[in-house]
Amino acid sequence: MTLDSRNVVQAAWRAFASHDGEQIAAFFTADAEWLAPSGNATAVALNAPSHMVGREAITQFIANDFPRLFVGDVEVEFHGFYSDGDRVIVEETMSAALANGNRYSND
């Protein structure tokens, strides 16, 4: 059975939440790219690049770096998954406790 794009993305989000490197890596090709806005708060706080290239770099970020900043009460509320062929749009709100004790919430 072949999963459609929407199911693949939903499965990827579940893998991200696990912080398990092997599960996360399975969703990326060796030459995958993770592109976020330059100077975004997460990259600045972690002293990480906003543009990561390669399965290993992305997996390191999600499995190990991300949990250093977002330390507790991490919740993702999904508002919608929309797919057209191999393109998927995810609408969500993520909230968490930050390492410095502040709250984080982002749509």
Side-chain angles (χ1 to χ4, degrees):
M1 173 171 71
T2 303
L3 293 176
D4 66 2
S5 298
R6 178 182 165 148
N7 289 340
V8 170
V9 171
Q10 288 173 327
W13 279 103
R14 286 191 297 275
F16 297 169
S18 76
H19 300 292
D20 179 275
E22 285 186 35
Q23 287 185 47
I24 294 165
F27 286 94
F28 295 99
T29 60
D31 62 347
E33 296 187 37
W34 183 283
L35 183 59
S38 182
N40 72 79
T42 302
V44 170
L46 292 171
N47 194 28
S50 57
H51 184 187
M52 291 169 270
V53 179
R55 176 187 299 126
E56 290 80 17
I58 298 167
T59 299
Q60 168 67 30
F61 170 72
I62 297 170
N64 301 311
D65 297 334
F66 185 90
R68 289 186 339 200
L69 180 60
F70 301 96
V71 297
D73 302 324
V74 178
E75 292 183 26
V76 177
E77 178 184 354
F78 293 105
H79 305 293
F81 282 85
Y82 310 96
S83 62
D84 184 10
D86 64 353
R87 294 183 184 255
V88 178
I89 297 169
V90 179
E91 288 184 319
E92 65 160 78
T93 300
M94 184 187 133
S95 60
L98 297 173
N100 67 5
N102 291 337
R103 291 292 306 159
Y104 173 89
S105 182
N106 190 24
D107 291 323

